[in-house]
Amino acid sequence: MTEWKEFSVAINNEAAEAVSSIFTELGSSGVSISDRNDFLHMPEYGNDTLWELDEENFPKDGVVIKGYFTEHDDLDQINDELTRRVKQLADYGIMITHLDITMSDVKEEDWSNAWKKYYHPVNITRFLTIVPQWETYEKRFDDERIVYLDPGLAFGTGTHPTTQLCIQALETYVFPEAKLFDVGTGSGVLSIAADLYGAKEVRAYDLDEVAVTSAKDNIRLNQLEDRIDVQANNLLKDVSDQADIIVANILTEVILPFIPDAYAHLEDDGLFITSGIILDKKDEVIESLIRHDFDILQVNQMKDWVAVIAKKTKKEE
């Protein structure tokens, strides 16, 4: 049985996405985020709730991000590089507080299965519910869509505020003949939701091969492998055609330089749905979208996270 090393980074919420990216870039076999707010503010319907809050595992301030490496990895180098890069986030304008980095041993059986007891179905909207593959769930409504996920530890549960905001936007804007690109697909949940909402063609892209595998597994779990194409790709590099809708739930630091490329890959009047935007960065993203000839249709907020729905306007000759 494989012995795993679990690195835990306790840090303030604002740094969570950046630290998760650092773990991925260091080669972590999985990343988990324990955020008390995800539990306290999760939408609840009756007794259905995604998680049960274990007070011992969730700090009152900040979050805990965990990455997993094997005993064969250079753990000293990983520890040094992790510490250096996390502290360096302050140089990029990300405030760092509550920082504590620790390492512990985890057996593969514990890592793979123990967390599953906390994961239950959650109603993201009136029309869509996310259900773990090992749970039994009966529809509340005839027109309710079910997304089955095996989230593992790499890409979360599909219920982070940014993902919820994107799903809500897809529910509003996807139309039957839509061609959609899901950029930075992660678990594939947005691609699955887009298909269930009626998109005609869905393509999912992610730079991370682990994400591509995860997305393919979840798409297969929903029996949509013949309808959704998943590819490893750096954003939309070398993609030559255009879509009616582009959805991108990625970091603000990636969104900003991606905006011109998103414009180029949209049909006239096409929609750009983007999230992963912390509240403090909202104005910067909106200003950049307007500067690149997007009209802002909606700005939606959940907790400290924002999603922007923008429409491509044809540039004047």
Side-chain angles (χ1 to χ4, degrees), residues 25-55:
E25 290 167 4
L26 290 176
S28 175
S29 296
V31 180
S32 67
I33 303 176
S34 300
D35 183 351
R36 172 182 293 268
N37 289 325
D38 285 346
F39 300 82
L40 300 182
H41 301 288
M42 187 65 68
E44 296 183 2
Y45 297 85
N47 294 321
D48 286 341
T49 182
L50 180 68
W51 294 94
E52 298 168 0
L53 178 61
D54 186 340
E55 295 287 348

Side-chain angles (χ1 to χ4, degrees), residues 17 20-21 24 31 147-160 162-163 166 181-192 202-220 222 228-233 235 247-251:
E17 295 287 338
S20 298
S21 296
T24 300
V31 180
V147 176
Y148 292 99
L149 282 188
D150 184 2
L153 292 176
F155 300 101
T157 62
T159 55
H160 187 275
T162 59
T163 310
C166 286
F181 296 159
D182 176 12
V183 180
T185 191
S187 67
V189 63
L190 297 182
S191 289
I192 296 167
V202 179
R203 295 192 213 163
Y205 300 101
D206 205 294
L207 181 61
D208 188 344
E209 290 284 359
V210 177
V212 171
T213 300
S214 175
K216 286 182 176 180
D217 289 344
N218 284 316
I219 288 165
R220 189 178 305 111
N222 288 272
I228 301 174
D229 180 50
V230 186
Q231 298 180 27
N233 203 64
L235 301 175
V247 59
N249 183 18
I250 50 183
L251 292 173

